[in-house]
Amino acid sequence: MRTVLQFSIGPIGAAILSLITLPFVAWFFSVEDVGRLTMLQVVLGLTVSLFSLAMHQAYVREYHEEEDKPALLKLSIIPGLILLVLISLLTLVLPFSISTILFGIDSKLLTFLLFVGIFASFFINFLAHVIRMQERGLAFSATKLAPKILLLILISLIMLLNLTAEFKVLMLMNTLSVVFSLFIFAWVTRESWVKAITKSIDTILLTKMLRFSLPLVAGGIAYWGLTTMDRFFLRELSGFEELGVYALAAALAGAVSVLTSIFSSLWHPILYKWAKKSVDENKVQSVIENMVLLVALIWSLAGLFSFIIPFFLPPEYLAIEYLIVACVSMPLFYLLSETTGVGIGVTRLSNYSMLASICALLVNAVLNYLFIPTYGASGAALASVVAFFVFFIIKTEASSRIWCSLPRWKIYITCIAYTLATILMVITKATIVNYYLIWLVLLTSTCFLFFTRLKKSANFLKCYFKKRY
């Protein structure tokens, strides 16, 4: 429990700071600039997914199997770094402006800041996994909090110094916060990466890691596309204004992704420790059922209290009331799939993760193309909800077939019911009278379906706190 709390402080605090920062951005910058900021975040996410070659996942998978951790870190970074440098040099000689393509603004400064952010994000991705695998919860939390505090301070300077609220200023602030974050990660992990520099390259281990990671690259890019494709479709089919509204809803819902960050930081190391000794299926089933209850609770709370959010935002963001519930469902489906799809990691059959991402990506592409011209941001939300449901189903079924077939019909009933309720809310724009009753009924029904697990978990927590206090 202490480890959970230490790992939770940073992500939860960072989410709270983000929720404070986002209204600042919405009030001081135009909707179009919020849309451009989204394109920046999309590109940074792509570079991590593509150029890391998923070697950070291979690092996590082999961490408990290898004695020389610094050498393992070097092997995980080198292939992607070489690729990133080569592609960056190639990009510099291209005859067109990258900033124009991404942001609609021709600016060498924006292009420079973009590349700085890309390289910083690349290294942060690996160093974060070093801290995670060393189970240094407080250090992990510190690295999450510090850059968010800096970003909030920088944005506050707009008011104090009467700076022009334009996208170049917003881009500079974000780049500075990312670079500051890298410095913190580098300092906290200095013992690991300094030793890694002088380590020799074990080609046999490198080949083993690449065999595990490369299938995940396609899956990682497909997952990136799954989570960001709607932004590209909105920009092309609806413009930066619709993109800005949808992006802010997704950013606010991103606070839920904190749970994914915390859970992944704890779950994968624990799971692979279990795998080394032989996994207890009952333990996994208990984790899955507890996760279903948590997902149902968060989803219901989002539906019940979404009407509050527009009060803190400019009038042009009213649609967030119903969009945010759809956006919240996406990280929740991913969070749940991390438990129901455990067999993929245990068996090292990472092709199935790639299959789930690609199938969901195709569903998302088709539905975005069909829905966005008519429904705008609502169409993007509907497409993403359905696509993430497909992603969750495929990972769950794949795990059941290649590893262990755990009971799941109650899980499917719950997820289908919540998905349909969310789709109805988006289509009706939350105008149904007493709509909150639907969320209360769904939460009550889920607790009834998983009553045995709910009772066991409640008794466990009661005994735990009685021993502690």
Side-chain angles (χ1 to χ4, degrees), residues 155-181:
I155 291 178
S156 300
L157 291 177
I158 295 175
M159 294 183 297
L160 298 175
L161 302 179
N162 293 320
L163 298 176
T164 304
E166 60 179 3
F167 181 66
K168 289 182 180 179
V169 174
L170 186 58
M171 179 83 162
L172 178 61
M173 291 176 175
N174 275 271
T175 303
L176 287 175
S177 66
V178 173
V179 172
F180 182 59
S181 179

PDB file of all heavy atoms in Angstrom, residues 155-181:
ATOM      1  N   ILE A 155       2.648  29.800 -17.561  1.00  0.00           N
ATOM      2  CA  ILE A 155       1.376  30.299 -18.089  1.00  0.00           C
ATOM      3  C   ILE A 155       0.876  31.480 -17.261  1.00  0.00           C
ATOM      4  O   ILE A 155       0.290  32.437 -17.787  1.00  0.00           O
ATOM      5  CB  ILE A 155       0.337  29.168 -18.136  1.00  0.00           C
ATOM      6  CG1 ILE A 155       0.733  28.143 -19.207  1.00  0.00           C
ATOM      7  CG2 ILE A 155      -1.058  29.715 -18.426  1.00  0.00           C
ATOM      8  CD1 ILE A 155      -0.192  26.967 -19.311  1.00  0.00           C
ATOM      9  N   SER A 156       1.147  31.435 -15.955  1.00  0.00           N
ATOM     10  CA  SER A 156       0.748  32.550 -15.092  1.00  0.00           C
ATOM     11  C   SER A 156       1.481  33.840 -15.462  1.00  0.00           C
ATOM     12  O   SER A 156       0.966  34.942 -15.241  1.00  0.00           O
ATOM     13  CB  SER A 156       1.036  32.205 -13.628  1.00  0.00           C
ATOM     14  OG  SER A 156       0.313  31.052 -13.229  1.00  0.00           O
ATOM     15  N   LEU A 157       2.669  33.703 -16.059  1.00  0.00           N
ATOM     16  CA  LEU A 157       3.447  34.879 -16.460  1.00  0.00           C
ATOM     17  C   LEU A 157       2.744  35.685 -17.545  1.00  0.00           C
ATOM     18  O   LEU A 157       3.057  36.868 -17.747  1.00  0.00           O
ATOM     19  CB  LEU A 157       4.837  34.455 -16.937  1.00  0.00           C
ATOM     20  CG  LEU A 157       5.787  33.911 -15.861  1.00  0.00           C
ATOM     21  CD1 LEU A 157       7.096  33.475 -16.480  1.00  0.00           C
ATOM     22  CD2 LEU A 157       6.029  34.956 -14.780  1.00  0.00           C
ATOM     23  N   ILE A 158       1.829  35.041 -18.262  1.00  0.00           N
ATOM     24  CA  ILE A 158       1.071  35.756 -19.295  1.00  0.00           C
ATOM     25  C   ILE A 158       0.331  36.932 -18.680  1.00  0.00           C
ATOM     26  O   ILE A 158       0.303  38.042 -19.229  1.00  0.00           O
ATOM     27  CB  ILE A 158       0.080  34.806 -19.993  1.00  0.00           C
ATOM     28  CG1 ILE A 158       0.837  33.723 -20.754  1.00  0.00           C
ATOM     29  CG2 ILE A 158      -0.822  35.577 -20.955  1.00  0.00           C
ATOM     30  CD1 ILE A 158      -0.060  32.685 -21.367  1.00  0.00           C
ATOM     31  N   MET A 159      -0.271  36.693 -17.518  1.00  0.00           N
ATOM     32  CA  MET A 159      -0.992  37.758 -16.831  1.00  0.00           C
ATOM     33  C   MET A 159      -0.024  38.749 -16.179  1.00  0.00           C
ATOM     34  O   MET A 159      -0.197  39.965 -16.281  1.00  0.00           O
ATOM     35  CB  MET A 159      -1.908  37.158 -15.761  1.00  0.00           C
ATOM     36  CG  MET A 159      -3.040  36.308 -16.294  1.00  0.00           C
ATOM     37  SD  MET A 159      -4.100  35.722 -14.952  1.00  0.00           S
ATOM     38  CE  MET A 159      -2.962  34.708 -14.029  1.00  0.00           C
ATOM     39  N   LEU A 160       0.997  38.235 -15.529  1.00  0.00           N
ATOM     40  CA  LEU A 160       1.891  39.098 -14.760  1.00  0.00           C
ATOM     41  C   LEU A 160       2.732  40.007 -15.651  1.00  0.00           C
ATOM     42  O   LEU A 160       2.996  41.167 -15.300  1.00  0.00           O
ATOM     43  CB  LEU A 160       2.806  38.238 -13.883  1.00  0.00           C
ATOM     44  CG  LEU A 160       2.107  37.379 -12.821  1.00  0.00           C
ATOM     45  CD1 LEU A 160       3.111  36.495 -12.099  1.00  0.00           C
ATOM     46  CD2 LEU A 160       1.354  38.252 -11.821  1.00  0.00           C
ATOM     47  N   LEU A 161       3.167  39.512 -16.805  1.00  0.00           N
ATOM     48  CA  LEU A 161       4.054  40.274 -17.684  1.00  0.00           C
ATOM     49  C   LEU A 161       3.347  40.810 -18.917  1.00  0.00           C
ATOM     50  O   LEU A 161       3.984  41.400 -19.803  1.00  0.00           O
ATOM     51  CB  LEU A 161       5.230  39.387 -18.123  1.00  0.00           C
ATOM     52  CG  LEU A 161       6.094  38.806 -16.993  1.00  0.00           C
ATOM     53  CD1 LEU A 161       7.198  37.929 -17.571  1.00  0.00           C
ATOM     54  CD2 LEU A 161       6.683  39.905 -16.128  1.00  0.00           C
ATOM     55  N   ASN A 162       2.028  40.588 -19.000  1.00  0.00           N
ATOM     56  CA  ASN A 162       1.238  41.055 -20.151  1.00  0.00           C
ATOM     57  C   ASN A 162       1.800  40.547 -21.478  1.00  0.00           C
ATOM     58  O   ASN A 162       1.923  41.288 -22.456  1.00  0.00           O
ATOM     59  CB  ASN A 162       1.168  42.583 -20.180  1.00  0.00           C
ATOM     60  CG  ASN A 162       0.369  43.141 -19.019  1.00  0.00           C
ATOM     61  OD1 ASN A 162      -0.673  42.578 -18.656  1.00  0.00           O
ATOM     62  ND2 ASN A 162       0.835  44.231 -18.435  1.00  0.00           N
ATOM     63  N   LEU A 163       2.167  39.267 -21.496  1.00  0.00           N
ATOM     64  CA  LEU A 163       2.684  38.663 -22.722  1.00  0.00           C
ATOM     65  C   LEU A 163       1.566  38.440 -23.728  1.00  0.00           C
ATOM     66  O   LEU A 163       0.403  38.292 -23.361  1.00  0.00           O
ATOM     67  CB  LEU A 163       3.357  37.318 -22.408  1.00  0.00           C
ATOM     68  CG  LEU A 163       4.574  37.357 -21.468  1.00  0.00           C
ATOM     69  CD1 LEU A 163       5.054  35.944 -21.174  1.00  0.00           C
ATOM     70  CD2 LEU A 163       5.691  38.181 -22.087  1.00  0.00           C
ATOM     71  N   THR A 164       1.940  38.416 -25.000  1.00  0.00           N
ATOM     72  CA  THR A 164       0.957  38.165 -26.056  1.00  0.00           C
ATOM     73  C   THR A 164       0.545  36.705 -26.029  1.00  0.00           C
ATOM     74  O   THR A 164       1.396  35.809 -26.093  1.00  0.00           O
ATOM     75  CB  THR A 164       1.548  38.503 -27.437  1.00  0.00           C
ATOM     76  OG1 THR A 164       1.992  39.849 -27.439  1.00  0.00           O
ATOM     77  CG2 THR A 164       0.489  38.303 -28.525  1.00  0.00           C
ATOM     78  N   ALA A 165      -0.742  36.465 -25.937  1.00  0.00           N
ATOM     79  CA  ALA A 165      -1.250  35.083 -25.874  1.00  0.00           C
ATOM     80  C   ALA A 165      -1.366  34.520 -27.284  1.00  0.00           C
ATOM     81  O   ALA A 165      -2.441  34.439 -27.872  1.00  0.00           O
ATOM     82  CB  ALA A 165      -2.600  35.048 -25.162  1.00  0.00           C
ATOM     83  N   GLU A 166      -0.215  34.124 -27.849  1.00  0.00           N
ATOM     84  CA  GLU A 166      -0.200  33.514 -29.175  1.00  0.00           C
ATOM     85  C   GLU A 166       0.439  32.133 -29.087  1.00  0.00           C
ATOM     86  O   GLU A 166       1.063  31.783 -28.088  1.00  0.00           O
ATOM     87  CB  GLU A 166       0.563  34.394 -30.157  1.00  0.00           C
ATOM     88  CG  GLU A 166       2.022  34.631 -29.776  1.00  0.00           C
ATOM     89  CD  GLU A 166       2.742  35.494 -30.781  1.00  0.00           C
ATOM     90  OE1 GLU A 166       2.090  35.954 -31.730  1.00  0.00           O
ATOM     91  OE2 GLU A 166       3.956  35.701 -30.627  1.00  0.00           O
ATOM     92  N   PHE A 167       0.307  31.375 -30.170  1.00  0.00           N
ATOM     93  CA  PHE A 167       0.731  29.987 -30.125  1.00  0.00           C
ATOM     94  C   PHE A 167       2.235  29.835 -29.912  1.00  0.00           C
ATOM     95  O   PHE A 167       2.677  28.891 -29.259  1.00  0.00           O
ATOM     96  CB  PHE A 167       0.319  29.256 -31.402  1.00  0.00           C
ATOM     97  CG  PHE A 167       0.713  27.803 -31.404  1.00  0.00           C
ATOM     98  CD1 PHE A 167       0.133  26.918 -30.512  1.00  0.00           C
ATOM     99  CD2 PHE A 167       1.698  27.334 -32.259  1.00  0.00           C
ATOM    100  CE1 PHE A 167       0.510  25.581 -30.478  1.00  0.00           C
ATOM    101  CE2 PHE A 167       2.073  25.997 -32.250  1.00  0.00           C
ATOM    102  CZ  PHE A 167       1.479  25.123 -31.352  1.00  0.00           C
ATOM    103  N   LYS A 168       3.045  30.747 -30.437  1.00  0.00           N
ATOM    104  CA  LYS A 168       4.497  30.636 -30.248  1.00  0.00           C
ATOM    105  C   LYS A 168       4.859  30.683 -28.765  1.00  0.00           C
ATOM    106  O   LYS A 168       5.758  29.976 -28.309  1.00  0.00           O
ATOM    107  CB  LYS A 168       5.212  31.756 -31.007  1.00  0.00           C
ATOM    108  CG  LYS A 168       5.189  31.587 -32.521  1.00  0.00           C
ATOM    109  CD  LYS A 168       5.940  32.701 -33.215  1.00  0.00           C
ATOM    110  CE  LYS A 168       5.901  32.515 -34.729  1.00  0.00           C
ATOM    111  NZ  LYS A 168       6.615  33.604 -35.449  1.00  0.00           N
ATOM    112  N   VAL A 169       4.150  31.523 -28.012  1.00  0.00           N
ATOM    113  CA  VAL A 169       4.384  31.606 -26.573  1.00  0.00           C
ATOM    114  C   VAL A 169       3.978  30.302 -25.889  1.00  0.00           C
ATOM    115  O   VAL A 169       4.688  29.773 -25.035  1.00  0.00           O
ATOM    116  CB  VAL A 169       3.599  32.794 -25.970  1.00  0.00           C
ATOM    117  CG1 VAL A 169       3.724  32.806 -24.450  1.00  0.00           C
ATOM    118  CG2 VAL A 169       4.096  34.110 -26.549  1.00  0.00           C
ATOM    119  N   LEU A 170       2.821  29.769 -26.287  1.00  0.00           N
ATOM    120  CA  LEU A 170       2.331  28.518 -25.714  1.00  0.00           C
ATOM    121  C   LEU A 170       3.279  27.367 -26.040  1.00  0.00           C
ATOM    122  O   LEU A 170       3.563  26.520 -25.191  1.00  0.00           O
ATOM    123  CB  LEU A 170       0.928  28.226 -26.257  1.00  0.00           C
ATOM    124  CG  LEU A 170       0.186  27.028 -25.657  1.00  0.00           C
ATOM    125  CD1 LEU A 170       0.023  27.169 -24.158  1.00  0.00           C
ATOM    126  CD2 LEU A 170      -1.185  26.870 -26.324  1.00  0.00           C
ATOM    127  N   MET A 171       3.792  27.344 -27.271  1.00  0.00           N
ATOM    128  CA  MET A 171       4.745  26.309 -27.694  1.00  0.00           C
ATOM    129  C   MET A 171       6.037  26.405 -26.883  1.00  0.00           C
ATOM    130  O   MET A 171       6.583  25.379 -26.439  1.00  0.00           O
ATOM    131  CB  MET A 171       5.049  26.501 -29.181  1.00  0.00           C
ATOM    132  CG  MET A 171       6.040  25.496 -29.754  1.00  0.00           C
ATOM    133  SD  MET A 171       5.258  23.966 -30.206  1.00  0.00           S
ATOM    134  CE  MET A 171       6.507  23.257 -31.293  1.00  0.00           C
ATOM    135  N   LEU A 172       6.522  27.608 -26.674  1.00  0.00           N
ATOM    136  CA  LEU A 172       7.750  27.804 -25.904  1.00  0.00           C
ATOM    137  C   LEU A 172       7.575  27.314 -24.472  1.00  0.00           C
ATOM    138  O   LEU A 172       8.458  26.645 -23.917  1.00  0.00           O
ATOM    139  CB  LEU A 172       8.138  29.281 -25.917  1.00  0.00           C
ATOM    140  CG  LEU A 172       9.384  29.665 -25.106  1.00  0.00           C
ATOM    141  CD1 LEU A 172      10.621  28.941 -25.642  1.00  0.00           C
ATOM    142  CD2 LEU A 172       9.589  31.169 -25.129  1.00  0.00           C
ATOM    143  N   MET A 173       6.436  27.630 -23.872  1.00  0.00           N
ATOM    144  CA  MET A 173       6.172  27.209 -22.499  1.00  0.00           C
ATOM    145  C   MET A 173       6.145  25.691 -22.382  1.00  0.00           C
ATOM    146  O   MET A 173       6.715  25.105 -21.452  1.00  0.00           O
ATOM    147  CB  MET A 173       4.843  27.792 -22.026  1.00  0.00           C
ATOM    148  CG  MET A 173       4.861  29.285 -21.832  1.00  0.00           C
ATOM    149  SD  MET A 173       3.240  29.924 -21.399  1.00  0.00           S
ATOM    150  CE  MET A 173       3.620  31.652 -21.099  1.00  0.00           C
ATOM    151  N   ASN A 174       5.495  25.025 -23.309  1.00  0.00           N
ATOM    152  CA  ASN A 174       5.422  23.563 -23.270  1.00  0.00           C
ATOM    153  C   ASN A 174       6.787  22.928 -23.478  1.00  0.00           C
ATOM    154  O   ASN A 174       7.133  21.957 -22.806  1.00  0.00           O
ATOM    155  CB  ASN A 174       4.443  23.072 -24.336  1.00  0.00           C
ATOM    156  CG  ASN A 174       3.018  23.064 -23.858  1.00  0.00           C
ATOM    157  OD1 ASN A 174       2.531  22.104 -23.293  1.00  0.00           O
ATOM    158  ND2 ASN A 174       2.331  24.173 -24.069  1.00  0.00           N
ATOM    159  N   THR A 175       7.576  23.492 -24.394  1.00  0.00           N
ATOM    160  CA  THR A 175       8.909  22.936 -24.654  1.00  0.00           C
ATOM    161  C   THR A 175       9.809  23.086 -23.433  1.00  0.00           C
ATOM    162  O   THR A 175      10.542  22.163 -23.062  1.00  0.00           O
ATOM    163  CB  THR A 175       9.553  23.626 -25.868  1.00  0.00           C
ATOM    164  OG1 THR A 175       8.694  23.488 -27.004  1.00  0.00           O
ATOM    165  CG2 THR A 175      10.898  22.999 -26.185  1.00  0.00           C
ATOM    166  N   LEU A 176       9.756  24.244 -22.788  1.00  0.00           N
ATOM    167  CA  LEU A 176      10.563  24.473 -21.587  1.00  0.00           C
ATOM    168  C   LEU A 176      10.187  23.489 -20.477  1.00  0.00           C
ATOM    169  O   LEU A 176      11.060  22.972 -19.770  1.00  0.00           O
ATOM    170  CB  LEU A 176      10.378  25.903 -21.094  1.00  0.00           C
ATOM    171  CG  LEU A 176      11.059  27.005 -21.920  1.00  0.00           C
ATOM    172  CD1 LEU A 176      10.684  28.383 -21.383  1.00  0.00           C
ATOM    173  CD2 LEU A 176      12.572  26.833 -21.919  1.00  0.00           C
ATOM    174  N   SER A 177       8.892  23.211 -20.331  1.00  0.00           N
ATOM    175  CA  SER A 177       8.459  22.281 -19.281  1.00  0.00           C
ATOM    176  C   SER A 177       8.923  20.859 -19.581  1.00  0.00           C
ATOM    177  O   SER A 177       9.299  20.119 -18.670  1.00  0.00           O
ATOM    178  CB  SER A 177       6.933  22.327 -19.123  1.00  0.00           C
ATOM    179  OG  SER A 177       6.282  21.830 -20.271  1.00  0.00           O
ATOM    180  N   VAL A 178       8.932  20.460 -20.866  1.00  0.00           N
ATOM    181  CA  VAL A 178       9.397  19.122 -21.245  1.00  0.00           C
ATOM    182  C   VAL A 178      10.903  18.989 -21.009  1.00  0.00           C
ATOM    183  O   VAL A 178      11.380  17.975 -20.478  1.00  0.00           O
ATOM    184  CB  VAL A 178       9.053  18.823 -22.725  1.00  0.00           C
ATOM    185  CG1 VAL A 178       9.687  17.506 -23.161  1.00  0.00           C
ATOM    186  CG2 VAL A 178       7.550  18.749 -22.918  1.00  0.00           C
ATOM    187  N   VAL A 179      11.663  20.018 -21.389  1.00  0.00           N
ATOM    188  CA  VAL A 179      13.116  19.991 -21.189  1.00  0.00           C
ATOM    189  C   VAL A 179      13.445  19.973 -19.694  1.00  0.00           C
ATOM    190  O   VAL A 179      14.340  19.235 -19.247  1.00  0.00           O
ATOM    191  CB  VAL A 179      13.772  21.210 -21.872  1.00  0.00           C
ATOM    192  CG1 VAL A 179      15.251  21.304 -21.497  1.00  0.00           C
ATOM    193  CG2 VAL A 179      13.626  21.106 -23.381  1.00  0.00           C
ATOM    194  N   PHE A 180      12.722  20.752 -18.922  1.00  0.00           N
ATOM    195  CA  PHE A 180      12.920  20.765 -17.468  1.00  0.00           C
ATOM    196  C   PHE A 180      12.639  19.382 -16.885  1.00  0.00           C
ATOM    197  O   PHE A 180      13.355  18.904 -15.998  1.00  0.00           O
ATOM    198  CB  PHE A 180      11.994  21.807 -16.851  1.00  0.00           C
ATOM    199  CG  PHE A 180      12.135  21.940 -15.361  1.00  0.00           C
ATOM    200  CD1 PHE A 180      13.348  22.286 -14.785  1.00  0.00           C
ATOM    201  CD2 PHE A 180      11.053  21.726 -14.517  1.00  0.00           C
ATOM    202  CE1 PHE A 180      13.488  22.416 -13.408  1.00  0.00           C
ATOM    203  CE2 PHE A 180      11.176  21.846 -13.144  1.00  0.00           C
ATOM    204  CZ  PHE A 180      12.405  22.194 -12.585  1.00  0.00           C
ATOM    205  N   SER A 181      11.613  18.739 -17.407  1.00  0.00           N
ATOM    206  CA  SER A 181      11.277  17.388 -16.969  1.00  0.00           C
ATOM    207  C   SER A 181      12.424  16.421 -17.265  1.00  0.00           C
ATOM    208  O   SER A 181      12.769  15.572 -16.434  1.00  0.00           O
ATOM    209  CB  SER A 181       9.998  16.922 -17.668  1.00  0.00           C
ATOM    210  OG  SER A 181       9.666  15.600 -17.286  1.00  0.00           O
TER     211      SER A 181
END
